[in-house]
Amino acid sequence: MKQLTKLSNIDQFLPRWTKRVIAETGGRDPLGLSRVSDMIVEFLLTGITTQTNRARYYSFYCWNIWNIWHIHLTEKPQKYKDFVDSFRRREAVLAMSTYANNSNTSPVGIKAARPILEKGFQRGEMDSNFRVLPSNALGGYGQYYGGSLYQLGLTRRIENGIDHLNKGMGEALAEAFHLSIHETPYIQKELFRKTKIPLVDFDGSKKLLTLDAIMKKSGVIERKLLIDLFFGFNGTTICESTLLRRHTLGQILHILCEYERHDLYLNLDSIDVIFVYAPSYFDVIWSEEDDKTIPYKCPEKFRRCHSLWRQFCLQQYFTNALENILFAVLEIIGNESAGLTIENIVLRLMETTFLKVLREKAGKDCYRPREILKAFNIEDIPTHEASYDLQQLLIPTAKNSEFDILRISEEDTGSVTAKAMLLLAVLYGKWRGIQDEEGMCYVHEHAGNGLWFWTFMPIIDKWLDKNTKWDETLERIIRCFIVDQHDRIMYEKKRLESCWFRTDGNRLFKEQEYSPKFRANRHLQAVNIMRDLCLIESDDEGYLSITSKGKTILNKILNEHECVIRKTIDSICMRYLIVAPMIMRS
């Protein structure tokens, strides 16, 4: 009997509050903590973003803009407006065809396409003269996919602001798309030139003009080319970012195989936990059904990729801790029309359930920061062995693991702040002694002025001093890593009018709500793309499995010799090992 493992989405571990909190959008980053996260994810999944989750858009947009094949060969636009008009008509037809063929799909522009599609069925002809995204003349390409196609080397920008296709893979994808739709009335009657399409011709074309058609027999060439593109199989040498994208996609396939090997089946709703946090950070696969974990051994070939994803997860837990403190600060000052000083904020935090929560989790009173570290058997700066042992001990099911801490009930701002301090303590214990992990070396080399956990760890070193008190600890964190960091980020973005709080003299005044959130890791988009490419399949309930083609690709990755053009990450590691001790002493 199959054991079904449907883990809750990571959002369940985000802070909750007893009153309505305004939902956040992805661009809101008051402390600049997304910078390091985005840098890591961009390196690991170049060309795949949080908004690019369908494989066929990559080949469709190549076909749509190909300068010597379709628009330029058949219509030869002389002005940017001509290019946009031609582009828009084709994209509108793709959106309408996709929805008409499968109402459960959501192509770019579904809101605009649905009412026009309904009118078209009534009138007997479809109108393709509309923007799928009213805010962008080039629709999904201009809003979402254009940057990805450029990063993958498929397009270039030349005169008049018109994007052109590069030779090689870009042209091959355009030809493959055209070949798959060549026999439709839409192409045979050159209906792409017109704004009105007879219903009979639309019906005769829509099955091949959909995003889903790539999974059919007609899409076999497109699938082959896109697999080569995403996995970097189309050249004798590849750059390091292409290699890491290959290994990230390969590790997803490998993790799926491991779950299946243990008779566990994964749901789309559990992407974050399954493909990122459990195997990449905790090195386990996790059955929530019986709350057991099974060790996950990452293939040696994926070691560098695996290490970078660990650093991404570490940054998310660090982000959650600091943003919990920001949240608590905003809640306290939000009820004070005259504002509050940082000293008064700290007093309010410690008047509530702060010490109570620490005592419940530590099993003893924690009147000073040193005592919370003792709860994790930390009495001195952790060695490599001590940090490694703690990483092995505090897996998701263990008491006081990151997952366990994030489950703390939030009664008030004191419990929120206690949760943040506990999370910082366990991260310190797990990582303070680790100085030679490859992912950490890369982040150190590329983070610049970005705030990440290693720049914060010297603050926690001071917790080991028996004379360090909670009030001075909280005051320093709020002043340096909340107030000063917030102001620095707002000045850099030149968004002072959009700040979350403002200072007047020595007092803080709340400007808007904020709730902590985990940053996107793009694994859901990667899984959706690999489903389109028939490497992963899902049943009606969203449970995932790897296909025979997916296993073939995984074996090819694991067994293939890789010739990589690399920025010698080994030399980066050596420089890092030299400077890391100096950083920690500063």
Side-chain angles (χ1 to χ4, degrees), residues 30 37 84 116 121 125 147 203-204 275-276 278 283 288 310 317 321 378 412 433 437 479 481 502 558 573 575 580 582:
S37 301
V84 170
I116 293 177
F121 283 126
E125 64 177 9
D203 285 340
F275 290 134
V276 187
D283 285 322
E288 192 185 42
R310 291 191 82 198
Y317 288 126
I378 303 169
D412 55 24
E437 191 162 289
R479 187 179 304 279
F481 293 95
R502 60 182 173 85
L558 292 175
C573 291
R575 291 201 301 274
M582 294 186 288

Side-chain angles (χ1 to χ4, degrees), residues 530-541:
M530 287 197 287
R531 279 201 305 169
D532 282 351
L533 299 178
C534 299
L535 306 181
I536 293 174
E537 60 187 7
S538 61
D539 61 19
D540 293 339
E541 295 181 353

Side-chain angles (χ1 to χ4, degrees), residues 544-568:
L544 303 171
S545 58
I546 186 171
T547 66
S548 58
K549 180 63 175 178
K551 291 178 181 178
T552 300
I553 294 297
L554 176 60
N555 289 331
K556 180 177 181 179
I557 297 170
L558 292 175
N559 296 319
E560 187 171 65
H561 174 71
E562 292 160 344
C563 185
V564 186
I565 303 171
R566 188 173 276 152
K567 295 181 179 178
T568 53

Side-chain angles (χ1 to χ4, degrees), residues 310 386-395 430-431 434:
R310 291 191 82 198
S387 289
Y388 178 80
D389 288 345
L390 201 59
Q391 288 182 2
Q392 302 306 302
L393 178 65
L394 297 183
I395 59 178
K430 281 188 170 185
W431 290 97
I434 307 296

